Amino acid sequence: MKTWQGWQLINFRWEDVAQALWMRYPNSCSPHVSSEDTLSRHRQGRSLLCSSRLFTKRSVIPQWAARHITRTSFVHVIEVVLPFYSNLTSGLKGRNIPYD
């Protein structure tokens, strides 16, 4: 299993960055994302608003390879966004849901 973890300082207002995370998909610049469904959205305490979303994305591998590797050209991704307003930070976790 591959994992990736990163940290980045973004020189924009925190409110703009947090809003961009919420409004990221679907949009016209990301045609590979076909749907977005909100699974849950709730507050925890005074400064944490947790959001869980389910995305359906088209596969980026060539069609000839997809016939041999997988039965579908779509993948589902669960994404959890955790913006912390108290210290102006945000967390994002995503994982693919495999077809078994």
Side-chain angles (χ1 to χ4, degrees), residues 25-26 30-36 55-58 74-76:
Y25 296 123
S30 301
H32 67 286
V33 179
S34 60
S35 71
E36 178 260 336
F55 298 103
T56 302
K57 297 182 178 185
R58 266 196 308 286
F74 289 93
V75 64
H76 296 292

Side-chain angles (χ1 to χ4, degrees), residues 7-10 12-18 47 82-91:
W7 180 87
Q8 186 172 8
L9 178 63
I10 301 173
F12 292 97
R13 292 180 338 132
W14 185 86
E15 291 83 1
D16 295 337
V17 174
S47 62
L82 303 166
F84 297 97
Y85 191 72
S86 61
N87 60 357
L88 302 182
T89 61
S90 185

Side-chain angles (χ1 to χ4, degrees), residues 3-62:
T3 61
W4 179 84
Q5 183 175 344
W7 180 87
Q8 186 172 8
L9 178 63
I10 301 173
N11 291 319
F12 292 97
R13 292 180 338 132
W14 185 86
E15 291 83 1
D16 295 337
V17 174
Q19 185 177 16
L21 283 174
W22 290 88
M23 298 173 58
R24 189 165 62 154
Y25 296 123
N27 68 52
S28 60
C29 295
S30 301
H32 67 286
V33 179
S34 60
S35 71
E36 178 260 336
D37 296 306
T38 300
L39 302 175
S40 71
R41 190 169 283 162
H42 61 279
R43 281 188 80 143
Q44 293 179 346
R46 294 181 53 123
S47 62
L48 175 62
L49 179 61
C50 181
S51 176
S52 299
R53 299 184 293 178
L54 175 69
F55 298 103
T56 302
K57 297 182 178 185
R58 266 196 308 286
S59 177
V60 294
I61 62 174

Side-chain angles (χ1 to χ4, degrees), residues 69-80:
I69 297 171
T70 180
R71 285 175 244 135
T72 182
S73 62
F74 289 93
V75 64
H76 296 292
V77 178
I78 290 183
E79 176 185 272
V80 178

